[in-house]
Amino acid sequence: MQPILQALPLWAQVALAVVPALGALFAAFGLLLNVQQSRRTNAQARAALVAGCLERFSGDEEIQRAFYSIEYSEFRYDGDFHKSPQEREIDKLLRHFANLALAWQAGLLSTTDVHPARYYILRVMRDPEIEKYLGFIAHWSKQASLGEHPYTVLTKLSKELEK
């Protein structure tokens, strides 16, 4: 086989060596572009998830009512809370942020991704009355042997956001 290669003109011998190398170089460049585009697409999807959360948060009347009752320190966790319309609103607010926390726990979002919602999550989770309610939920879930309640993941996320 060696004599056949040597029989070719020099330019053909060089071409046989250079063309595959150029092909490999272009393939590597294309792969790098693909990786970069994938990263952008993933970042955009994560941002869209958080943006959708914030949009729903600001656009849902019940969630807003629940949030502002906490924001203005009007929310009270007492004997009248359970089975009240306010319980449903507070639960809707907590479930809303718990969904974001579950995506974080699953590795779909980082704490950096969740940062735009940080104030709202921390404002809710630091409220002493909410802490009482979450304590009740944790105790009730444990007694009912239902496993970890999604609010527990929200509590973990809020602790990470405090760092």
Side-chain angles (χ1 to χ4, degrees), residues 52-64 92 96:
C53 173
L54 289 171
E55 185 176 345
R56 180 158 181 250
F57 169 77
S58 64
D60 189 293
E61 194 174 309
E62 291 174 329
I63 290 175
Q64 286 294 292
K92 189 173 186 180
H96 181 70

Side-chain angles (χ1 to χ4, degrees), residues 3 10 36 48 57 59 94 98 111 119 128 133 138 143-144 158 161-163:
L10 182 61
Q36 185 180 21
F57 169 77
L94 291 171
T111 51
Y119 172 82
Y133 179 50
Q143 280 187 326
S158 70
L161 289 172
E162 286 177 349
K163 293 179 181 178

Side-chain angles (χ1 to χ4, degrees), residues 8 30 35 37 97 144-145:
L8 293 173
V35 167
Q37 185 60 42
F97 287 136
S145 300

Side-chain angles (χ1 to χ4, degrees), residues 26 53 60 67 82 86 112 137 153 163:
F26 286 130
C53 173
D60 189 293
F67 176 76
H82 292 284
Q86 188 179 38
T112 303
I137 292 291
V153 178
K163 293 179 181 178

Side-chain angles (χ1 to χ4, degrees), residues 15 17-28:
V18 172
V19 169
L22 285 175
L25 185 65
F26 286 130

Side-chain angles (χ1 to χ4, degrees), residues 4-119:
I4 295 174
L5 283 178
Q6 289 176 348
L8 293 173
L10 182 61
W11 67 266
Q13 291 177 25
V14 171
L16 284 174
V18 172
V19 169
L22 285 175
L25 185 65
F26 286 130
F29 183 69
L31 182 63
L32 287 174
L33 288 176
N34 191 355
V35 167
Q36 185 180 21
Q37 185 60 42
S38 293
R39 286 183 179 161
R40 280 190 198 146
T41 301
N42 290 340
Q44 186 177 14
R46 292 190 314 271
L49 188 63
V50 175
C53 173
L54 289 171
E55 185 176 345
R56 180 158 181 250
F57 169 77
S58 64
D60 189 293
E61 194 174 309
E62 291 174 329
I63 290 175
Q64 286 294 292
R65 202 168 23 251
F67 176 76
Y68 281 109
S69 72
I70 295 165
E71 179 79 345
Y72 298 129
S73 302
E74 296 169 351
F75 170 64
R76 298 286 173 262
Y77 177 65
D78 56 24
D80 296 332
F81 177 72
H82 292 284
K83 297 183 181 179
S84 71
Q86 188 179 38
E87 179 185 24
R88 286 185 288 283
E89 292 171 355
I90 292 292
D91 276 334
K92 189 173 186 180
L93 171 66
L94 291 171
R95 278 192 311 269
H96 181 70
F97 287 136
N99 287 337
L100 205 57
L102 290 168
W104 166 77
Q105 182 184 45
L108 301 175
L109 297 172
S110 68
T111 51
T112 303
D113 295 326
V114 179
H115 194 58
R118 181 179 185 269
Y119 172 82

